[in-house]
Amino acid sequence: MAEQDKPDNSDENTLDRIKTGAFERNVALTRMGVGAGAKIAGHTVRNFFRSGESRDEANRNFYRSQARELADELGRLKGSVMKAGQMLSLYGQYFLPEEAVEVLASLQDNTPAVAWSFVEPQLIDALGERTIAKLDIQRKPIAAASLGQAHLATIKATGEQVVVKIQYPGVASAIDTDIRTLSRLISATRLAPKALDLTDVFNELRDMLVRECDYVQERRFTETFHERLSGNPRFIVPKVYPEFCAQRVLTTRYEPGYSVASKEVQALSQARRNALANAFAELFVTEFFDWKLVQTDPHFGNYRVRIDPEGENDQIVTLDFGATRNFQNSFVESYGKIVRGSLQGNRKEVAQGVLEIGLMSGDTPRDFLEGFADLTELIVEPFRKPFDPLVPERLYTPGGAYRFGDTDLPARVGQTAALKMMSRHFRIPPQEIIFLHRRIGGVLVTLKTLRAELRLHSLLKPHLGLS
């Protein structure tokens, strides 16, 4: 068993239960909203007596404090409202204070587990006692997240080790109430601009949560990826066991491995890390351009590395397909125009793709479109040809591979975006962009963690008609 896959056998961080009733969840969040209102009033009065620089610093501290309090409460409640908080951080970069986005983004899925006595009734209700009796289930989970937790089990008849993923009781039925409450709370804490209508954002959050709570759909996506990657020796997708699956329960083969950031993976040779990194990148490109079906959650826990003791064929284990999304042909083609135009310096093609996707409208000023093109030409840096003059020379190896371990690209992108993208003409991107970029960002973080040295231009050539 890999180091990071060992269950935590302590009870220190185990919750007896989570608040699942609409009333008790509303009480918890409403109490926080009232407290936030009082703090806002006090902060406003104190700001009246502060100088400009002091006021700015006080505002930053205030936003950070409000967001931390919100994040702490969401973490205690778990369920859909916590997952919504995580997702909100993705949208929030376009309208929330930087301090608030940073705090909400910290709402990761390594949350305390819930006691077996709380989740067992959900399992019995979903599968029935006769079916459950075929399994020997460990009561301590091997992983706990916002929507559910996973338990290691053995099929008694065959000895196969499986993972039983159980959704927390009441999570799916609380989505509507949680989204409404979170919307009111964001307003009460003054984290979002008062005049900004976030109705569409919260509607999209609701739709995404409904999909992630549907384990029948996740089962289908898991089976699809298992089938499509079954002939590729570089990847492992867990087998699904339909007999032990239901709307709120998903059972798959246990596939251990090491985290990308583990010391075991980090100790691999440059060539082996490059091979893993190239596989990560190639999988994403295949998902988007060929399958138009993308697993959009890049959380490190969703990927494991199976190290080959012979040192020849390390493999990537891919897990958790709840955030998988289909993309329309038209979207992929339009997005391809942005990428191709950015790589070739064709700003007319970039603008065409941007308008087709809906990031901007037809009356967007030319200087703003130019600023956006500056940004996209920077973002595609790792995919340029070797020794491209637009890429800092220090980021190339003598052989022309891009040094992901040394890149400061995220900082440069952030600076460029802050300078060029603050405009009423820029719209909050549609969810397709938000979640596609979440996966792209995850791929780049993985390549940096692996300290990869790669030439990725060739990966895009067949999909974009590049020379």
Side-chain angles (χ1 to χ4, degrees):
M1 180 182 294
E3 175 184 358
Q4 75 287 354
D5 287 323
K6 293 178 182 176
D8 178 6
N9 292 318
S10 70
D11 291 318
E12 292 180 10
N13 295 319
T14 301
L15 304 175
D16 291 333
R17 61 185 296 274
I18 58 174
K19 298 173 182 176
T20 56
F23 176 75
E24 59 181 346
R25 291 171 77 81
N26 262 327
V27 166
L29 291 174
T30 300
R31 185 186 302 120
M32 188 196 152
V34 172
K39 290 176 183 175
I40 289 167
H43 173 72
T44 303
V45 170
R46 287 189 294 274
N47 254 0
F48 183 77
F49 299 100
R50 293 186 175 112
S51 64
E53 188 174 332
S54 176
R55 186 179 297 122
D56 288 343
E57 180 63 25
N59 281 336
R60 284 193 291 272
N61 289 334
F62 175 75
Y63 289 137
R64 189 176 290 111
S65 173
Q66 290 285 77
R68 171 51 60 197
E69 189 170 342
L70 173 61
D72 287 346
E73 187 59 46
L74 298 185
R76 282 189 289 270
L77 290 174
K78 298 184 88 115
S80 61
V81 74
M82 178 183 168
K83 191 71 175 183
Q86 293 175 13
M87 293 177 174
L88 186 61
S89 71
L90 301 172
Y91 284 94
Q93 61 186 304
Y94 302 102
F95 58 81
L96 292 178
E98 181 182 348
E99 295 77 14
V101 173
E102 182 182 330
V103 172
L104 287 174
S106 71
L107 268 172
Q108 295 301 324
D109 272 349
N110 53 346
T111 59
V114 175
W116 174 253
S117 60
F118 184 71
V119 297
E120 185 182 24
Q122 176 89 328
L123 186 62
I124 293 173
D125 183 60
L127 299 181
E129 292 186 358
R130 182 179 269 178
T131 298
I132 295 172
K134 298 177 182 180
L135 298 171
D136 182 11
I137 306 175
Q138 294 184 13
R139 296 192 171 193
K140 290 291 181 184
I142 59 171
S146 52
L147 301 179
Q149 60 193 41
H151 292 256
L152 197 62
T154 303
I155 300 177
K156 294 177 182 178
T158 64
E160 294 172 273
Q161 278 198 307
V162 297
V163 175
V164 183
K165 181 178 176 181
I166 309 167
Q167 192 172 117
Y168 294 130
V171 164
S173 58
I175 290 175
D176 286 337
T177 300
D178 281 350
I179 289 294
R180 284 196 299 269
T181 305
L182 182 60
S183 174
R184 290 195 296 268
L185 204 52
I186 290 295
S187 175
T189 52
R190 298 277 179 89
L191 289 175
K194 211 171 183 180
L196 187 62
D197 184 2
L198 296 178
T199 302
D200 288 343
V201 169
F202 282 103
N203 284 340
E204 289 186 2
L205 289 179
R206 180 196 173 279
D207 291 344
M208 286 182 278
L209 284 168
V210 169
R211 282 199 294 272
E212 292 213 23
C213 283
D214 185 354
Y215 286 3
V216 173
Q217 177 176 264
E218 182 177 345
R219 169 190 161 183
R220 287 197 294 267
F221 283 137
T222 306
E223 290 171 333
T224 297
F225 273 76
H226 179 82
E227 179 184 348
R228 292 185 179 182
L229 291 173
S230 61
N232 191 325
R234 296 174 300 170
F235 299 98
I236 299 170
V237 179
K239 170 187 172 183
V240 173
Y241 293 80
E243 181 182 4
F244 305 110
C245 293
Q247 185 72 30
R248 310 296 177 209
V249 177
L250 177 65
T251 300
T252 57
R253 188 197 302 275
Y254 173 61
E255 297 286 3
Y258 290 101
S259 164
V260 172
S262 69
K263 65 180 185 300
E264 289 84 359
V265 173
Q266 293 297 307
L268 295 175
S269 68
Q270 184 69 59
R272 291 173 72 175
R273 285 184 281 111
N274 285 348
L276 287 167
N278 193 71
F280 268 107
E282 186 178 326
L283 178 61
F284 166 69
V285 169
T286 299
E287 287 178 32
F288 183 62
F289 286 107
D290 290 344
W291 302 347
K292 300 170 181 62
L293 184 70
V294 179
Q295 200 285 65
T296 64
D297 187 352
H299 190 274
F300 266 15
N302 293 339
Y303 298 93
R304 296 279 190 266
V305 174
R306 183 78 57 80
I307 295 177
D308 179 12
E310 302 298 323
E312 295 292 329
N313 300 300
D314 302 317
Q315 296 173 294
I316 297 169
V317 180
T318 63
L319 308 168
D320 196 345
F321 296 88
T324 303
R325 301 185 62 88
N326 283 292
F327 288 86
Q328 298 294 323
N329 287 338
S330 57
F331 178 89
V332 175
E333 290 172 4
S334 297
Y335 195 86
K337 290 177 183 177
I338 298 175
V339 177
R340 181 171 53 241
S342 299
L343 287 170
Q344 297 181 333
N346 185 344
R347 298 197 162 190
K348 185 176 181 180
E349 187 172 29
V350 172
Q352 184 181 353
V354 165
L355 294 175
E356 289 175 358
I357 282 177
L359 280 174
M360 302 175 204
S361 62
D363 60 355
T364 300
R366 183 171 182 78
D367 63 334
F368 187 68
L369 284 169
E370 289 291 319
F372 183 80
D374 288 342
L375 181 63
T376 60
E377 288 178 2
L378 181 60
I379 291 171
V380 300
E381 176 178 288
F383 296 91
R384 292 187 176 279
K385 292 180 179 179
F387 304 114
D388 189 300
L390 293 178
V391 180
E393 188 177 349
R394 62 183 173 79
L395 293 180
Y396 282 123
T397 67
Y402 188 83
R403 299 180 192 268
F404 282 92
D406 296 330
T407 187
D408 59 346
L409 181 60
R412 286 184 282 128
V413 168
Q415 292 166 359
T416 303
L419 287 172
K420 299 180 180 291
M421 302 314 298
M422 296 304 292
S423 168
R424 63 183 176 85
H425 299 286
F426 187 70
R427 303 173 177 179
I428 296 175
Q431 57 179 276
E432 289 86 355
I433 286 284
I434 294 283
F435 283 83
L436 177 63
H437 284 184
R438 176 168 72 155
R439 173 63 185 281
I440 293 174
V443 171
L444 296 179
V445 168
T446 298
L447 302 194
K448 184 174 179 65
T449 302
L450 289 169
R451 307 189 312 283
E453 297 175 354
L454 299 176
R455 300 174 192 81
L456 292 182
H457 184 77
S458 59
L459 272 185
L460 296 180
K461 286 173 65 175
H463 303 286
L464 299 178
L466 300 171
S467 58

